[in-house]
Amino acid sequence: MASFEALYGRKCRTPVCWLEAGEKQFVGPEIVQETTDKVKCIRECLKAAQDRQKSYADKRSRPMEFLVRDRIMLKVSPWKGIILFGKRGKLSPRFLGPFKVLARVGLQAYKLELPPEMAGIHNTFHVCYLRKCLAEEESVIPLSEIRVDENKQSVEEPEAILERNTKVLRHKVVGLVKVQWKHHRGANMTWEAEEDLRRRYPHLFA
């Protein structure tokens, strides 16, 4: 008997014999030709489905290329229970970086400049794990310089007063000052009411 029948205790139903186990019938040229036609039809349907899915993917995908010295974000997977690049848990960041591109390896890989704490990781990655960093380098804030209050909100600090002005309202005159902020998102210079700013940051007017 065949090894499949010895292992499972029944005959194997191959494409050339789609009959129920136990039935006796001679395989003639007709059933062989029918099986060949069915296999050919199946292959054509699979090829059509693959071409259709490939056309969908080609429309939405574009080749990614980076230049040397570009700043790149590295994609990581939040595997449960596994420390990946020093991060753990599903709340860990999906991207690490930015890192600088040192060289291009072949057509689909790049060599990155990794920090010393990632010395045990190979510095060459496939292009599918890389994303270009769109943030401006001077806008990156070190974590050690961020202050958070009791409400878990970032505390912004003014650096200097650049200009002074007054705004005349219907019943009073409001003094305005142009403040340059430290680590401020967006434009780092805004006009603020001098009275409110003096109450919040008295050291700025000392």
Side-chain angles (χ1 to χ4, degrees), residues 24-42:
K24 301 295 183 179
Q25 181 175 346
F26 291 104
V27 178
E30 296 82 5
I31 191 171
V32 172
Q33 183 62 37
E34 180 182 357
T35 303
T36 304
D37 295 340
K38 290 182 178 180
V39 171
K40 182 180 179 181
C41 180
I42 292 172

Side-chain angles (χ1 to χ4, degrees), residues 58-124:
D58 291 343
K59 289 180 180 179
R60 301 184 179 183
S61 65
R62 53 185 177 181
M64 291 189 297
E65 295 184 358
F66 307 106
L67 302 176
V68 178
R69 308 296 297 177
D70 279 352
R71 298 168 64 249
I72 300 300
M73 302 296 294
L74 177 61
K75 182 180 181 181
V76 294
S77 300
W79 294 343
K80 184 177 181 181
I82 298 179
I83 299 179
L84 189 63
F85 300 143
K87 305 295 180 180
R88 179 193 291 274
K90 65 179 182 180
L91 298 180
S92 60
R94 300 296 187 265
F95 291 90
L96 298 179
F99 308 111
K100 290 184 179 180
V101 177
L102 297 179
R104 182 171 183 173
V105 182
L107 299 177
Q108 298 291 328
Y110 290 87
K111 182 181 293 185
L112 305 182
E113 181 182 5
L114 301 181
E117 56 267 21
M118 299 175 65
I121 301 173
H122 198 278
N123 61 349
T124 302

Side-chain angles (χ1 to χ4, degrees), residues 23 51 119 149:
E23 294 185 9
D51 293 342
D149 59 9

